[in-house]
Amino acid sequence: RSLIVGTYKHGYNRFAEMRNDTSLSFTKFEDPTDIPVNIQNDPNLIPQTPKPLEDGTIPPKTLSEGKEQWPSEKILNRRLRKALRLILLGAKSAENSDKSQKRKTDIQEDWSKREKLDFYRVITTHGIRTLESTGQPDWEIIKEQAKLTRKNHTLISEYCANLMNQCKQSMDLGAKDYTDKRTAYLESPSSELEWIGRGDSSLSYAQCKRVLQRVKLFQDLRTKILPKGSDVLDDIIQKARTTTTLPLWWTWEYDKALVVGVTRHGFGQWEKLCTDEDLPFYKLAKQRLALSDGINAMQSSSDTIGNQSPKSSSNTGGGDSEKEDDDSNNPPKKRKRGRQIEIYTTALDFPKEKVLTKRLDYLIKFITEPPKPKKQLLISSICNS
């Protein structure tokens, strides 16, 4: 620091003035032999020459107590250039870091393909959550789940409105007309079809339909079903009919667990739903896994006993043949790629997504609109009374 400040204050290579400047930290240095070139013509800065010895030679000057030897000019100049270079690099790096951080935090009105895809994923998995206090959409949690770090609540709200408008218009047009208009817009964007561009032009008719269905599904679950309370739900769901598309173990308790689990974990998160210890799916899956492990262990033990062969009387080649048999029975494990195996849903033989979708629609309709008693039963009850 003193070297840079001294160069700025006294000039380049003016080390004598720097050493005599008390505001700098060079007073602890002393040159025991040479007089710097830049002070030889200044009698006020030239130190006194020691007296010669008897043989006429001048004794070498020793360092004073508490002093350090002054580096050479070559070393000092090299150090100065290195210090300046490091400072410039540090300033440039800090500037680039600030610009990069600013780009990350800057709000951008344009939506990228990744942002649109993540928004679609969130609303089809969790719907549009609302605040309990105001009933308005909770854009903050949607922003967090979709990782929309460069969008504010206003932009998210506007895009959501545009996307919902696109999905509703696609339903009004129908599959064929919407597909034709979307293809025309992708080939040549026009103001007439700008409602497609303001939403997500990559969405097909089926995806638009899915957005509307999932948003309505979660809205009904959160506003019409769960507010009824656990006891009321138990009384109503027990009367719901079952279908042959559901597993034999499916009872009304699993209907309630399906409603609660989907609201809690999201649609399509079946493995999370089955590993939730608060839901009955978890207990049943653990029982089936334990039973499956026991059966596999018994089969493995019986296979081992059945595959045992008598020891060969010949001593030649016995070890190699046994090793080959072991290798054939235990092929090398291949590295699994792609989606992780869903252990709990597989153990339960969990219903397919299409079956669960229909079941949720039926439960919502059954709970919100209980079936009226048939006229025949009503007349017979009157006659009997």
Side-chain angles (χ1 to χ4, degrees):
R1 180 178 176 275
S2 294
L3 184 60
I4 297 173
V5 173
T7 302
Y8 176 78
K9 187 176 180 180
H10 300 287
Y12 182 74
N13 215 34
R14 306 291 294 181
F15 300 121
E17 289 87 339
M18 297 182 199
R19 279 161 53 182
N20 290 326
D21 190 340
T22 55
S23 64
L24 305 178
S25 60
F26 294 138
T27 54
K28 65 179 181 179
F29 290 100
E30 182 179 359
D31 193 340
T33 54
D34 299 329
I35 299 175
V37 177
N38 57 352
I39 67 169
Q40 289 181 356
N41 297 326
D42 191 344
N44 295 325
L45 299 176
I46 297 176
Q48 296 180 358
T49 304
K51 296 180 180 180
L53 300 175
E54 295 180 355
D55 56 0
T57 59
I58 298 176
K61 184 179 178 181
T62 57
L63 293 174
S64 303
E65 185 178 357
K67 297 288 185 178
E68 298 181 17
Q69 184 173 350
W70 181 255
S72 65
E73 293 182 1
K74 184 177 181 181
I75 294 176
L76 290 173
N77 288 329
R78 186 186 303 154
R79 181 66 180 175
L80 176 63
R81 290 192 296 269
K82 184 177 180 180
L84 293 174
R85 183 166 58 251
L86 290 175
I87 291 174
L88 292 175
L89 288 175
K92 188 175 181 180
S93 177
E95 183 180 357
N96 293 336
S97 178
D98 292 341
K99 289 181 179 179
S100 177
Q101 187 66 23
K102 187 177 180 181
R103 283 196 299 268
K104 291 180 180 179
T105 56
D106 279 349
I107 302 299
Q108 290 192 355
E109 295 185 2
D110 295 336
W111 285 69
S112 64
K113 291 183 179 179
R114 195 273 305 169
E115 290 173 332
K116 291 183 177 181
L117 179 62
D118 288 342
F119 186 84
Y120 169 82
R121 173 183 54 81
V122 168
I123 63 173
T124 53
T125 304
H126 302 283
I128 300 177
R129 297 177 183 267
T130 56
L131 297 169
E132 295 182 1
S133 57
T134 61
Q136 297 298 319
D138 190 354
W139 301 121
E140 184 60 32
I141 193 170
I142 294 177
K143 176 180 178 180
E144 180 181 350
Q145 290 176 336
K147 300 178 181 179
L148 302 174
T149 56
R150 304 169 77 173
K151 298 291 181 289
N152 55 28
H153 294 180
T154 303
L155 292 175
I156 297 175
S157 174
E158 291 176 354
Y159 176 75
C160 183
N162 292 331
L163 181 64
M164 297 301 292
N165 178 58
Q166 174 192 354
C167 295
K168 291 176 182 178
Q169 289 202 42
S170 67
M171 296 300 104
D172 295 338
L173 291 172
K176 185 178 183 305
D177 291 343
Y178 171 74
T179 303
D180 293 341
K181 289 183 179 295
R182 186 173 74 91
T183 303
Y185 177 81
L186 292 175
E187 293 177 353
S188 179
S190 61
S191 58
E192 182 182 357
L193 301 176
E194 186 61 27
W195 55 273
I196 298 178
R198 284 194 294 265
D200 188 353
S201 58
S202 66
L203 295 186
S204 64
Y205 178 83
Q207 289 174 314
C208 292
K209 185 177 181 180
R210 185 178 297 118
V211 169
L212 296 177
Q213 289 176 340
R214 298 284 173 82
V215 170
K216 185 179 185 302
L217 170 69
F218 281 99
Q219 184 180 4
D220 291 340
L221 290 175
R222 294 188 178 109
T223 60
K224 298 180 180 179
I225 307 302
L226 295 182
K228 291 183 177 296
S230 179
D231 295 336
V232 176
L233 280 180
D234 291 347
D235 295 338
I236 299 176
I237 291 180
Q238 288 184 46
K239 302 174 184 177
R241 61 177 176 82
T242 57
T243 61
T244 56
T245 56
L246 294 171
L248 295 176
W249 50 264
W250 194 280
T251 62
W252 69 269
E253 295 177 344
Y254 297 104
D255 281 332
K256 180 182 177 183
L258 178 65
V259 171
V260 175
V262 168
T263 308
R264 182 182 301 173
H265 300 289
F267 190 91
Q269 306 300 310
W270 311 125
E271 187 71 9
K272 291 182 180 179
L273 187 142
C274 292
T275 54
D276 189 337
E277 298 182 6
D278 296 333
L279 303 178
F281 298 111
Y282 176 77
K283 183 178 180 180
L284 180 60
K286 292 290 286 185
Q287 292 175 354
R288 294 202 167 195
L289 286 173
L291 180 62
S292 177
D293 292 341
I295 294 174
N296 292 335
M298 293 176 60
Q299 290 179 349
S300 176
S301 177
S302 61
D303 291 343
T304 303
I305 296 173
N307 291 334
Q308 286 182 351
S309 58
K311 295 183 179 179
S312 175
S313 58
S314 175
N315 294 331
T316 58
D320 293 340
S321 62
E322 291 179 0
K323 184 176 181 181
E324 291 175 359
D325 292 339
D326 292 340
D327 292 340
S328 62
N329 292 330
N330 299 313
K333 295 181 179 180
K334 295 182 179 180
R335 180 171 176 262
K336 296 176 181 178
R337 298 177 180 270
R339 189 175 180 180
Q340 185 180 3
I341 297 177
E342 296 180 342
I343 300 174
Y344 286 78
T345 51
T346 303
L348 289 173
D349 192 16
F350 208 69
K352 301 299 181 183
E353 189 168 290
K354 186 177 181 180
V355 174
L356 295 173
T357 302
K358 291 183 178 180
R359 189 62 180 174
L360 282 169
D361 292 338
Y362 165 74
L363 289 174
I364 291 173
K365 185 176 181 180
F366 183 83
I367 295 171
T368 55
E369 302 174 7
K372 296 180 181 180
K374 294 182 179 180
K375 292 183 179 180
Q376 294 180 353
L377 295 176
L378 186 61
I379 294 172
S380 62
S381 63
I382 294 174
C383 292
N384 293 332
S385 62

